[in-house]
Amino acid sequence: EADIYQTPRYLVIGTGKKITLECSQTMGHDKMYWYQQDPGMELHLIHYSYGVNSTEKGDLSSESTVSRIRTEHFPLTLESARPSHTSQYLCASSVGGVQETQYFGPGTRLLVL
Amino acid sequence: GQQLNQSPQSMFIQEGEDVSMNCTSSSIFNTWLWYKQEPGEGPVLLIALYKAGELTSNGRLTAQFGITRKDSFLNISASIPSDVGIYFCAGQLIQGAQKLVFGQGTRLTINP
């Protein structure tokens, strides 16, 4: 069982607010990822990190930003939330290497009014 | 970008029936992963496949890594109500950045 945590699990917030979604893992994994997923739909990679101080944008353009100051922590920030940001945000991590297996957190469901 | 074609998109079956779903691509993968996701939760890893031709079981679940490296299937035998959910395949490309490519998901509904 993967030890990867996301908070909050649910967030309802007004337009224009700044939000930070937290993701932490206790497995010592180097690689961490953020995906955006609309209900029942496929996952879209928006950010990833291969280690401390390393961040890259994913395949789906996103107005969010990420940071990786510590191995275990990979927060995602939206400076000014909009209704179009309403979605589920999933964090994942993997140990890395040639063949990797990603483990997911429980997700944060964001609703921007 | 790279795409995985996952089918079927949805399945409606009777409890006790066997289930089969698959993913195909024109690209070559060095890893295939199968996940299950329930509403409001993150995907949970079911089976990981790392070698072409590999056949792996996890309880009533069996998955295979296609010999061409371009496909994989997942079978569920004797389905039960708690099998309900969305099943995703994911493949890691053999070339380029080692990110995962996800299928569109198969939504499984079981009539008791």
Side-chain angles (χ1 to χ4, degrees), chain A residues 9 37 98-102, chain B residues 30 35 37 40 50 92:
Chain A
R9 290 294 315 277
Q37 183 190 32
V98 177
Q99 291 177 309
E100 64 167 55
T101 302
Q102 289 186 19
Chain B
N30 68 358
Y35 293 89
Q37 186 177 28
Y50 301 113
Q92 182 183 8

Side-chain angles (χ1 to χ4, degrees), chain A residues 24-99:
Chain A
S24 295
Q25 51 94 8
T26 58
M27 297 171 284
H29 286 173
D30 285 327
K31 295 184 177 180
M32 296 189 74
Y33 308 82
W34 276 103
Y35 292 86
Q36 186 174 341
Q37 183 190 32
D38 291 329
M41 305 298 286
E42 62 191 288
L43 284 72
H44 296 283
L45 181 68
I46 52 174
H47 298 283
Y48 62 99
S49 167
Y50 284 172
V52 171
N53 294 325
S54 151
T55 60
E56 301 286 345
K57 290 192 177 295
D59 304 318
L60 180 68
S61 176
S62 174
E63 294 166 342
S64 58
T65 59
V66 292
S67 62
R68 189 89 183 275
I69 299 172
R70 304 197 318 260
T71 297
E72 62 271 21
H73 195 214
F74 191 40
L76 180 145
T77 298
L78 274 167
E79 289 293 332
S80 180
R82 295 207 301 266
S84 60
H85 296 139
T86 295
S87 190
Q88 175 160 255
Y89 293 84
L90 293 162
C91 181
S93 72
S94 66
V95 69
V98 177
Q99 291 177 309

